[in-house]
Amino acid sequence: MDRLAFLLATGLARGAIFALFALSLVLIWRAARIINFAQGAMALVATYLAFAVTALTGSYAAGLAAGILGGAAVGFVVERGLMRHAPHGSPLSGIIVAIGLVMVLQSLLGIFFGPQYRPMAAPFDETPIFVGGVPLLSPYDIFVLVVALAVMGLLALLFTRTSLGLQLRASAFAPEVSRLLGVRVDRMVTIGWMLSAAVAALAAMLLIPTELGLNPHSTDILFVYAFTVAVVGGLDSPVGALLGGLVVGVVMSLVTGYLGSTVAPIGVLVLLVAVLLVKPGGIFSMREARTA
């Protein structure tokens, strides 16, 4: 029973990171109707920036802020410099450009920083806190949960309570009508890319200290799991990203704890296949797909 409680707690902390990254994929999908396969590589560029700033200043907060701002900047450059000029006649064009961008970014990171893993220290202790003799969340896990839930809450307020959020949603769901009403749709798409890239960078910076370290391929597995989360929850549903992330995190933790880490990807794959068989659009997908 103690082991189960520990696995559930750690699964929730890991799931919050998956949910955060999946939310970034949902933001891109809703803004541009593109599954951005370069999201992990883009987040990794921002993470290297955060690593450099932290090493230079000795401040984790400064590195975290630099990484988030760097992620937004990367999103701006990618949207304005690449995606805006990709042919829009076929959805495959954006996917091909994104895959090419992954190869370029990972190659450049390998050239400039090398293939070795660079340890990233967590800002808080990673030793689990014992409650009634049962190991639960560590201080760093609590920090991750608080940050992830706070960011999701702020994004919910942005999209439901602000004029900018209303323009972002209108541009995503009815771009032509939004243009007639004076909304600068192209600018809203750029802002959507910047928000998405910043959120993805934050998720990567929260996960990497708990893994082997920083490497040009550190976010590959994060993207795979987050993409699974987005599909399970529904690519149109931010709520689905949140709940799907928690579910996938708990499933991974339980499978790893009881069956071994090598079986965890199989458990996630089984979950993905089961959801696609029952509800191909995702558990929380909208009843009608947007056509605009």
Side-chain angles (χ1 to χ4, degrees), residues 37-122:
F37 285 91
Q39 195 84 318
M42 291 165 58
L44 199 56
V45 172
T47 306
Y48 269 98
L49 174 63
F51 179 86
V53 172
T54 300
L56 184 64
T57 63
S59 170
Y60 176 82
L64 189 67
I68 294 172
L69 293 175
V74 171
F76 176 87
V77 171
V78 168
E79 195 280 326
R80 288 294 180 97
L82 287 177
M83 294 302 179
R84 181 167 294 195
H85 305 289
H88 298 290
S90 169
L92 284 177
S93 59
I95 294 176
I96 293 171
V97 171
I99 293 174
L101 182 60
V102 172
M103 298 178 182
V104 170
L105 291 179
Q106 289 183 340
S107 297
L108 289 175
L109 290 174
I111 291 171
F112 287 109
F113 299 101
Q116 69 274 13
Y117 283 91
R118 299 167 179 263
M120 286 187 70

Side-chain angles (χ1 to χ4, degrees), residues 2-248:
D2 293 355
R3 187 180 188 185
L4 176 62
F6 173 71
L7 292 174
L8 289 174
T10 55
L12 288 175
R14 183 60 58 89
I17 298 177
F18 295 156
L20 202 58
F21 199 97
L23 182 60
S24 74
L25 296 175
V26 170
L27 290 173
I28 284 292
W29 176 256
R30 288 168 66 95
R33 234 49 185 176
I34 291 175
I35 298 175
N36 183 22
F37 285 91
Q39 195 84 318
M42 291 165 58
L44 199 56
V45 172
T47 306
Y48 269 98
L49 174 63
F51 179 86
V53 172
T54 300
L56 184 64
T57 63
S59 170
Y60 176 82
L64 189 67
I68 294 172
L69 293 175
V74 171
F76 176 87
V77 171
V78 168
E79 195 280 326
R80 288 294 180 97
L82 287 177
M83 294 302 179
R84 181 167 294 195
H85 305 289
H88 298 290
S90 169
L92 284 177
S93 59
I95 294 176
I96 293 171
V97 171
I99 293 174
L101 182 60
V102 172
M103 298 178 182
V104 170
L105 291 179
Q106 289 183 340
S107 297
L108 289 175
L109 290 174
I111 291 171
F112 287 109
F113 299 101
Q116 69 274 13
Y117 283 91
R118 299 167 179 263
M120 286 187 70
F124 302 101
D125 188 11
E126 296 184 74
T127 304
I129 299 173
F130 284 79
V131 178
V134 179
L136 295 177
L137 296 172
S138 69
Y140 184 67
D141 290 334
I142 296 173
F143 169 74
V144 167
L145 278 171
V146 170
V147 170
L149 294 176
V151 170
M152 293 176 192
L154 290 173
L155 287 174
L157 289 176
L158 170 66
F159 282 100
T160 59
R161 295 290 186 268
T162 68
S163 174
L164 175 61
L166 177 61
Q167 293 180 65
L168 286 167
R169 289 189 289 125
S171 299
F173 285 93
E176 297 304 324
V177 175
S178 299
R179 287 189 178 95
L180 293 175
L181 294 175
V183 177
R184 302 185 65 173
V185 174
D186 289 343
R187 176 179 292 181
M188 294 301 108
V189 172
T190 300
I191 293 174
W193 273 85
M194 294 173 67
L195 277 174
S196 171
V199 172
L202 175 60
M205 288 184 287
L206 292 176
L207 177 69
I208 288 175
T210 66
E211 299 292 324
L212 295 175
L214 187 58
N215 174 273
H217 298 277
S218 292
T219 55
D220 289 354
I221 195 67
L222 172 60
F223 176 83
V224 171
Y225 288 140
F227 177 70
T228 301
V229 168
V231 173
V232 167
L235 279 168
D236 266 312
S237 175
V239 174
L242 170 60
L243 297 181
L246 297 179
V247 169
V248 170

Side-chain angles (χ1 to χ4, degrees), residues 252-278:
M252 278 189 59
S253 180
L254 292 176
V255 172
T256 300
Y258 287 108
L259 300 177
S261 59
T262 57
V263 187
I266 299 176
V268 174
L269 178 61
V270 169
L271 175 63
L272 176 62
V273 171
V275 171
L276 290 177
L277 288 174
V278 175

